[in-house]
Amino acid sequence: MELIIVLSAVMIVEGVLRIPGTEGHYDTGWGLYQALNKNSRLHLLSHTWTEQDISLWLTKRRITGHQSYLHAPGPGPAGRLEALQRIRSWHIGLVIESDPACAAAELAAGWHTALISHPADQPPDHYHAIRPWRDLTEAVERQHDLRLTPHRSEQP
């Protein structure tokens, strides 16, 4: 009989999966999510969004299948450690982190931690900033006005 060990992992959403402060995602984080989701019990942790917010964001990207969502009470090491302490009995084998200060605190608290870093001088993987609604409506109105304006060759 073969013994199968299943890894339980926590992925921090901000900085690993989601580009902080945007609606965009990192392709590397998305790929890591897919790989871990197939072969482990994957849990997501965020301090920014509620479970409803993160669920909507994930659904829009067709990212599904993780075990659970955890909400940290605040950013930084204290918030992360408080959230992780609540699930200590889940026997989490790996925390995937993007913040070096949080990773150091997690390691000091006894968590196995992998740190993911993105180059500061390069834009994130396929970064697509969401345009403000006002900019979109103004662009549509400008295009509409241009269609209604006679071209120079058509003017008398």
Side-chain angles (χ1 to χ4, degrees):
M1 182 164 81
E2 182 179 342
L3 177 64
I4 298 175
I5 298 174
V6 177
L7 174 71
S8 289
V10 172
M11 178 182 282
I12 307 302
V13 173
E14 290 81 25
V16 176
L17 186 58
R18 184 176 73 85
I19 300 168
T22 73
E23 289 276 330
H25 69 272
Y26 290 106
D27 287 346
T28 52
W30 190 338
L32 185 58
Y33 176 98
Q34 297 298 334
L36 287 170
N37 193 38
K38 290 178 184 173
N39 300 306
S40 70
R41 290 187 189 110
L42 182 61
H43 308 275
L44 299 178
L45 189 149
S46 171
H47 70 274
T48 303
W49 287 346
T50 65
E51 186 171 4
Q52 184 178 7
D53 293 334
I54 196 75
S55 180
L56 178 61
W57 185 82
L58 293 166
T59 300
K60 286 179 185 178
R61 284 153 185 80
R62 296 187 180 109
I63 301 175
T64 59
H66 56 279
Q67 297 288 309
S68 67
Y69 168 77
L70 307 161
H71 185 75
R80 296 267 215 282
L81 290 176
E82 186 176 325
L84 291 170
Q85 186 59 38
R86 292 192 316 254
I87 61 168
R88 175 96 40 204
S89 65
W90 295 5
H91 304 289
I92 300 298
L94 182 64
V95 177
I96 303 158
E97 178 64 72
S98 65
D99 183 325
C102 291
E106 292 157 4
L107 287 167
W111 295 95
H112 296 271
T113 305
L115 179 65
I116 289 192
S117 301
H118 303 284
D121 61 341
Q122 294 179 0
D125 303 336
H126 303 292
Y127 173 70
H128 299 290
I130 303 297
R131 290 179 62 185
W133 184 253
R134 183 175 12 132
D135 291 353
L136 294 171
T137 56
E138 287 173 359
V140 169
E141 289 171 1
R142 273 194 309 273
Q143 290 173 6
H144 181 70
D145 291 344
L146 286 172
R147 280 191 213 106
L148 296 177
T149 303
H151 296 289
R152 289 183 188 239
S153 61
E154 297 174 5
Q155 293 179 353

